[in-house]
Amino acid sequence: MRGLSVAVEHRQGAFRLEAAFEAEGGVTALFGRSGSGKTTLINVVGGLLRPERGRVVLDGEMLVDTEARRFVPPHRRRIGYVFQESRLFPHLDVRANLLFGRRLARGTDGISFDDVVDLLGIVPLLARHAAGLSGGERQRVAIGRALLARPRLLLMDEPLAALDVARKAEILPFLERLRDLGIPILYVSHALSEVGRLADRIVVMEDGHVAAAGPVDEVSARLDVAALRSAREAGAILTARVEAHDPGFALTQVVTEAGPLYVPLLERPVGASLRILVSARDVTLSLYPPKGTSALNVLAGHVAEMGAEVAGDPTMEVRLVCGGASLVVRLTRRSLAEMDLHPGTSVYAAVKSVALLD
Amino acid sequence: MRGLSVAVEHRQGAFRLEAAFEAEGGVTALFGRSGSGKTTLINVVGGLLRPERGRVVLDGEMLVDTEARRFVPPHRRRIGYVFQESRLFPHLDVRANLLFGRRLARGTDGISFDDVVDLLGIVPLLARHAAGLSGGERQRVAIGRALLARPRLLLMDEPLAALDVARKAEILPFLERLRDLGIPILYVSHALSEVGRLADRIVVMEDGHVAAAGPVDEVSARLDVAALRSAREAGAILTARVEAHDPGFALTQVVTEAGPLYVPLLERPVGASLRILVSARDVTLSLYPPKGTSALNVLAGHVAEMGAEVAGDPTMEVRLVCGGASLVVRLTRRSLAEMDLHPGTSVYAAVKSVALLD
Amino acid sequence: MTDWLTPDEWAALRLSLLVAATGTLASLPPGIGIAYLLARRRFWGKSMLDMVVHLPLVLPPVVTGYLLLLGFGRRGLFGAWLAEIGIVFSFRWTGAALACAVMGFPLLVRALRLSIEAVDRRLEQAAATLGANPLQVFVRVTLPLILPGVIAGMVLAFAKAMGEFGATITFVSNIPGETQTLPSAIYTLTQIPGGEAGAMRLTLISIIVSMAALLMSELLARGVARRLAA
Amino acid sequence: MTDWLTPDEWAALRLSLLVAATGTLASLPPGIGIAYLLARRRFWGKSMLDMVVHLPLVLPPVVTGYLLLLGFGRRGLFGAWLAEIGIVFSFRWTGAALACAVMGFPLLVRALRLSIEAVDRRLEQAAATLGANPLQVFVRVTLPLILPGVIAGMVLAFAKAMGEFGATITFVSNIPGETQTLPSAIYTLTQIPGGEAGAMRLTLISIIVSMAALLMSELLARGVARRLAA
Amino acid sequence: EAPTVFAAASLKNALDDIAGSYAKEGKPAPKVSYAASNTLAKQIEQGAPADLFFSADLDWMDYLAKKDLIQPDTRVSLLANSIVLIAPKDSKAEVKMGPGLDLTAALGTGKLAMGNVEAVPAGKYGKSALEKLGGWAGVKDRIAQAESVRAALLLVSRGEAPLGIVYATDAAADANVKIVATFPAESHPAIVYPVAITKDSRNPDASALLAYLRGPTAKAAFEKQGFTVLNRSATAAQ
Ligand SMILES: Nc1ncnc2c1ncn2[C@@H]1O[C@H](COP(=O)(O)OP(=O)(O)OP(=O)(O)O)[C@@H](O)[C@H]1O
Ligand SMILES: Nc1ncnc2c1ncn2[C@@H]1O[C@H](COP(=O)(O)OP(=O)(O)OP(=O)(O)O)[C@@H](O)[C@H]1O
Ligand SMILES: [Mg+2]
Ligand SMILES: [Mg+2]
């Protein structure tokens, strides 16, 4: 039985963790506000914290079972961990940090050292000591170190928070490749764009418990999860299939259940499937089919659900159904009134091309 | 003479810092990729690093002058510092951490303790020890600690990177208030949205030197600064004046040089001036005036400058001139071709309302 | 209890406690100062200072005691001079405290130095940016962070003082009620026929005292550790 | 040089170096083990163990020597048993090394313990998640991080061994060429009227040796510190 | 005011007794500092507040006399002791004491325990006795030199050494050793314990105490510990 299954309780001072979730292969995002218990939860999975009660099962192996007094120590779990604060070994140089787990791990499979350092852009750092690295450099080395230990599950605690957007954009496809290589990832993040791009499933934490969990497509379109709403970037994730390539404009046409869309040119064969995030703020609604605009992607649909009005917030969310898929749109209440939108109203959703996966 | 003036050179291993910039009151953003020297530069300003050559002048006081062998030690600079890695005192509880500098600072002015802890949402943490805090909690305490020391300049090294979007949204207005209280801030960030919102001036670092510096409005619209381009969120910052309030829809109408815009309801009197970020990806162009759409804000203008095409990148940036102001728009090359845009083409820019300051 | 110990032995116990406590406490401030210098500063003669601090460890205690006698005795270099300002060590309990302080000094300084070197200097920098001058940084950040080292150093110095007699007896002799500490008394008992039982009894007492000090220090250290724990 | 020292004194110097080095090195592994237990584990009898480790500091050296004799002498508890498997301490240099190891043990253990307590356990956790078992974590992370403590502890133990004679002479006596170490020789000279000059000469030599060891340790420590520096 | 006595540590038993009875007679009980004779002598040299110096051998008394730190006219060689050859109590060793003394057979592969032959008085006496009797050459490389005569006794008592040379006073008090033979008095310099009032003594009670030490009560106490009390005068000792 592949996959991770967690159901634990733990008390830490006044904070109480009581969380249960399941995750199969692929990337599971842990999403939630500061202090909601994300780090605590992955510490339990990684074996750094022994929960007071509960079980953790990975690929059918019982890692923690408090009733049976079973607790597999971290070094026998083969679970990689990229910590929120990098935790590089100060007595080793970057290369030795990277190779620390590599040497301990049996086998020769997995990503190659050269690939990792190239991609993370840390080749010039290899001979340096951990102490002199910048914040972002440290975090990149930490990612490499965890990867090179050939983990069977990777825990990542906000690995990209210290990185600039360009660096993030370089590393994300790499993490995608890991996912595709079959290394499941539990990924803590505040950024729904990262989450949407990488994750198959999402677990939303609120105050120590799981507020919502499930496939990203479903959960991300839910208007009732406060943590998502406040993320402002909430959007919907769609599954897409590559339809055609247009190298001239560096575009690829994909087909989703909501309709055809253009995304930046992908190096995937026609017929390959992928997932895309349509961020709520990247959708503009109009009552008539727009023409002569820079919006490349226009989907026809109708209003399915209206989010709650929040006093003082000029915006609200609306869920559309376009074809067989949901989209979330954030628009001002004023526009809503001017356009006289109600459940059932037919609309055209103009999706800004750059908001799609690049 | 108010303001900060820095012109320094320093070598650190293979890395060479050679940077000069000026900053008056308000917020100056330090923007740049990982490893570009942002932390090194503010360490020089804070007095944690003694540069090999150069000068640092704050409000007319010479803090560093290597030629005159002058070096004012950090504790005499009254420069607050929020570190990238929080650096809370592990032997003190949160309250004592917060009050550490407070007690040393003379005077009674400045922000009140209660205000700070309320706003940062750390009231429940006050009696806790620093060790048990979550990543985001630590960072909030660090911000409070620096603020309470009544600094005359505040250095912030990615203070919000570890925070969730909602928490960020709460803290940003607070930092704005500091700016308005007259405490200048040097603010390192990767997020142009934060930068645009807070900063008056921006200094873009590239590989140890200043690639661009100047008022945010000017620099942010420049298409030639690679660091900005790769941030993807590049946009233009506009100065605006409050024109009217519409409490019903929770909107405020403001007037910019580019034309009138709706923004979420502001608690500022009519006539007050403010600044807004129009993110490049939040603008959709059309050749005809759009109608019946959810885009509340439409500005008329013409194409002024076309950015460079980057091989493999389906998008490119275009600078518009609308009235007396510049806007940056990111659109696909395909749209560009379909719309047949050239410098001089008249266009309508639909600005998604939620992309404005909230 | 009173049957357990002769009056002289009682006096020796009291004196030992006084001497060990005084010696340990008095050596703490200079110990911290020197440990700080050795850990943090580079200066001319640093190796020299380091060596001098370690000397009492390297020298046979008798030699240390003899040097103390030469230096701080009534006719000694500093002794004569200090006597003028009213500080007399020779053949007083203060001399025993000085001997214990000197003998324990290397242990104290090393523990402190090790702790100071382990302090995360970024925390001290943070304190400086909050307006703390170097002294305030030391008192409010460094010192609390090295408390485990302070405790360890004091325990070592105290234990050493409870066991020290070679330098003490050489420097201030073995005068009951004045300079006869517990270890000197034990030593004397080992030198006479039939003294073994008495020596063992006093040794036990000295062990009990040190055990108490040790336990107290462990409790203290545990409290400190809890406060610093991650 | 040869004029400087009599053959017996040469022998004493050589022996002192051998004894101090052997004692220090041999006590390192158990020292690390016990320091680790004391720093990290909670177990029944921990205070007891702590006390036993500190005993040689608390007891007058003569008493320690006496106890060693009782335990490891030819007819001692362990001595008789060890003799059967060929390990003999009495009147051998190995006995002197044992005495030095025991006397330096509390100093070594304290320094190690202090360092172990200062190690950031989050780094050890990180190593565990990378697949290192507890032993590997210790060898590859903890040990390198406590190197400053190892060096400090060894310096203390070595210096102590260079100065120790009370326990040594009581345990294994003072046989020139076999158990007469430098401090024993110095001690003997201090007991002879007019022996001061000779004692001072030997003391100087012992200082020079320790100074060399100290300098070497400082260089080592500086190297280590540079590697760990921020 | 109570006088301060600096006395060799081996005198502790006797002097504690004497101090007790002295105090019972209503006199100020003396304070006695016990340490090695050399230590005490050097302390007196450095101005220690001692009124009486009671040494375990002549050398250190002579040392102070030479430096003019004692009052020569008060000096008395008060006690005498003898040295004996001892063995663990279960030992079968037999030695014929006298000229031509040979300890090698009795030693076997073991060591001869004695006080340091240069520094410790009992060691010095033992060495000269062995030299005089001709046994020195055979054992001189087989000597375990202890830091004090007590430590030498301990080595024999614990069975570490098969033979040892200690004072009769020490041997008598240890049940684990037996006296194999007593060295003839003429085989070594006289083992005497001289006492004198120091030059710096300002204590008027010092001479009274010295007189008491030479008195009958003290004599009994010394003899109880196995010392021989001498009745020679100070000058005679020289
Ligand atoms: N040792 C402790 N004692 C008491 N409370 C603790 C302890 N450790 C963690 N907590 C609390 O548990 C809660 C969850 O912490 P956790 O680190 O899991 O949060 P998080 O979701 O990772 O937050 P962030 O995004 O800020 O890193 C926090 O409120 C934290 O203060
Ligand atoms: N002690 C040092 N020795 C050598 N190089 C160093 C040292 N300290 C910093 N550097 C290098 O200097 C460069 C600038 O570092 P800095 O910390 O200023 O970067 P940064 O812009 O803050 O990056 P980030 O966004 O990742 O925090 C980096 O490449 C770093 O590796
Ligand atoms: Mg966290
Ligand atoms: Mg940085």
Side-chain angles (χ1 to χ4, degrees), chain A residues 39 84 157-158, chain B residues 134-135:
Chain A
T39 301
Q84 208 167 356
D157 202 350
E158 305 192 38
Chain B
S134 83

Side-chain angles (χ1 to χ4, degrees), chain D residues 8-194:
Chain D
D8 271 3
E9 287 170 351
W10 266 115
L13 173 57
R14 269 200 305 275
L15 194 72
S16 259
L17 286 173
L18 177 68
V19 161
T22 309
T24 306
L25 288 176
S27 56
L28 191 57
I32 290 177
I34 288 178
Y36 189 85
L37 286 181
L38 290 177
R40 287 294 174 79
R41 297 287 162 83
R42 286 182 152 220
F43 52 91
W44 189 90
K46 176 169 167 173
S47 303
M48 203 59 208
L49 177 62
D50 200 14
M51 188 62 214
V52 169
V53 167
H54 280 83
L55 263 191
L57 211 58
V58 175
L59 299 180
V62 179
V63 175
T64 306
Y66 179 67
L67 293 177
L68 280 174
L69 196 59
L70 295 191
F72 294 91
R74 196 177 294 257
R75 301 196 182 159
L77 240 81
F78 315 103
W81 179 80
L82 285 170
E84 277 176 30
I85 59 168
I87 304 178
V88 178
F89 290 115
S90 68
F91 300 129
R92 300 273 172 89
W93 71 266
T94 47
L98 177 64
C100 286
V102 166
M103 293 301 287
F105 207 60
L107 314 185
L108 180 69
V109 168
R110 260 298 168 171
L112 290 170
R113 178 175 171 186
L114 208 50
S115 289
I116 293 173
E117 281 169 347
V119 166
D120 187 346
R121 301 190 63 171
R122 293 175 308 169
L123 295 175
E124 298 178 331
Q125 288 184 336
T129 65
L130 292 166
N133 65 34
L135 183 68
Q136 289 167 326
V137 170
F138 184 77
V139 172
R140 297 184 55 194
V141 177
T142 318
L143 204 53
L145 291 176
I146 63 169
L147 265 191
V150 172
I151 294 172
M154 287 181 68
V155 165
L156 283 177
F158 185 85
K160 174 80 204 165
M162 287 301 294
E164 206 318 289
F165 83 95
T168 309
I169 208 171
T170 307
F171 180 30
V172 293
S173 189
N174 184 1
I175 306 169
E178 278 187 59
T179 63
Q180 184 174 61
T181 58
L182 219 44
S184 309
I186 294 173
Y187 174 75
T188 304
L189 285 171
T190 63
Q191 302 294 306
I192 305 171

Side-chain angles (χ1 to χ4, degrees), chain A residues 282-283 285 287 292 294 352-353, chain B residues 281 283 285 287 292 294 332 352:
Chain A
D282 279 337
V283 181
L285 294 187
L287 296 171
S294 64
K352 268 210 61 131
S353 52
Chain B
R281 51 176 260 171
V283 181
L285 294 186
L287 297 171
S294 64
T332 57
K352 268 210 59 131

Side-chain angles (χ1 to χ4, degrees), chain A residues 37-235:
Chain A
K38 306 179 295 295
T39 301
T40 309
L41 188 57
I42 62 174
N43 277 345
V44 168
V45 175
L48 303 185
L49 196 68
R50 201 174 180 139
E52 284 161 9
R53 286 154 54 89
R55 300 167 154 228
V56 177
V57 186
L58 178 61
D59 294 347
E61 186 193 348
M62 185 70 75
L63 295 180
V64 178
D65 183 352
T66 51
E67 264 174 39
R69 300 182 149 273
R70 179 170 177 79
F71 180 82
V72 177
H75 68 277
R76 294 230 196 79
R77 295 194 181 189
R78 286 190 57 213
I79 296 183
Y81 197 149
V82 179
F83 297 91
Q84 208 167 356
E85 357 75 69
S86 82
R87 303 197 191 181
L88 299 186
F89 301 122
H91 60 294
L92 300 177
D93 63 14
V94 169
R95 181 189 300 277
N97 262 287
L98 289 168
L99 291 176
F100 189 97
R102 186 67 161 191
R103 297 212 176 103
L104 295 168
R106 302 135 294 268
T108 51
D109 56 322
I111 329 96
S112 87
F113 181 81
D114 292 341
D115 276 9
V116 169
V117 296
D118 267 359
L119 197 120
L120 294 169
I122 50 184
V123 177
L125 308 178
L126 286 177
R128 295 258 306 272
H129 265 286
L133 301 184
S134 82
E137 288 164 348
R138 298 177 69 80
Q139 204 57 24
R140 280 181 276 157
V141 175
I143 294 174
R145 183 178 69 171
L147 284 177
L148 288 169
R150 301 195 181 87
R152 56 176 174 166
L153 167 66
L154 196 57
L155 308 174
M156 305 187 91
D157 202 350
E158 305 192 38
L160 307 185
L163 296 181
D164 53 292
V165 182
R167 188 59 80 184
K168 260 185 205 161
E170 282 167 32
I171 294 179
L172 273 174
F174 183 62
L175 298 180
E176 275 167 348
R177 241 178 75 203
L178 290 179
R179 181 188 65 192
D180 301 339
L181 277 174
I183 301 176
I185 301 179
L186 202 55
Y187 189 96
V188 174
S189 175
H190 294 130
L192 202 62
S193 59
E194 277 170 42
V195 168
R197 170 160 179 178
L198 281 172
D200 306 294
R201 296 176 55 84
I202 183 168
V203 175
V204 182
M205 299 284 300
E206 242 170 46
D207 230 348
H209 63 267
V210 174
V216 169
D217 327 32
E218 270 173 33
V219 175
S220 66
R222 274 172 65 176
L223 302 186
D224 63 329
V225 181
L228 293 176
R229 199 163 53 234
S230 67
R232 305 262 164 161
E233 307 178 74

